Structure formats: structure tokens, C-alpha cells
Amino acid sequence: MKKIMVNESLCIGCGACVAIDPNHFDFNSQGLSTAKIEDVENIDQNLASAVESCPTNAIKIAETENDTIQEMPEAA
Ligand code: SF4
């Protein structure tokens, strides 16, 4: 499994991720991005594009194995 994590201290609320991948991202009450679905099996094209589009690198996809979260290397 993988876990979508949005760092709200980095998010500037530009909306790119929400526009590109509304299945996984939405705005919270502060106008910042939040993951609608945190746990995903695979990184689909929209999710990968949303991660790449973030101007502040606020979105991370972590690998969750054995209940531990390991940050994945930056997407190539
Ligand atoms: S693309 Fe990045 S900065 Fe923009 S709303 Fe999404 S998480 Fe926030």
C-alpha cells in the first residue's frame, strides 16, 4: 500500500493537484489541499501528475509496509 500525504505547511493552495486529480485531492476548510483518499494501491497517471505539478513539493507518496511509513525517493 501507499499513503498520500500533503504537507499543509508547504501547501500554498494553488489548486493544481485538485484540478488534475480531484479523485484524490480536495480543499480543506483553510483552502489547502488534503488527500480525500490517503491509502492507495497504485500511483495512477493523474496522481503522478498531481505530485509533479505541485510547485512546493508538498505532496509525498509514502510506501506503507509492515505498518511503517518509508518515504519514497523523489519521482524520476
Ligand atoms: S499543488 Fe501543491 S501547493 Fe497546490 S494545492 Fe496541491 S498540494 Fe497545495
Side-chain angles (χ1 to χ4, degrees):
M1 290 287 275
K2 304 178 194 318
K3 192 173 192 70
I4 304 171
M5 300 186 300
V6 179
N7 185 335
E8 290 187 0
S9 65
L10 291 177
C11 176
I12 57 173
C14 74
C17 60
V18 178
I20 292 169
D21 189 359
N23 288 333
H24 290 117
F25 298 97
D26 200 357
F27 292 115
N28 66 14
S29 58
Q30 281 101 45
L32 301 175
S33 173
T34 185
K36 289 166 71 176
I37 304 169
E38 289 195 328
D39 296 313
V40 294
E41 288 286 348
N42 298 300
I43 301 173
D44 62 25
Q45 186 60 51
N46 282 352
L47 178 53
S49 295
V51 172
E52 285 177 17
S53 74
C54 179
T56 62
N57 291 322
I59 307 168
K60 299 290 182 196
I61 309 292
E63 195 72 45
T64 55
E65 298 264 342
N66 304 322
D67 292 332
T68 60
I69 296 177
Q70 297 174 331
E71 197 161 299
M72 293 178 71
E74 293 296 321

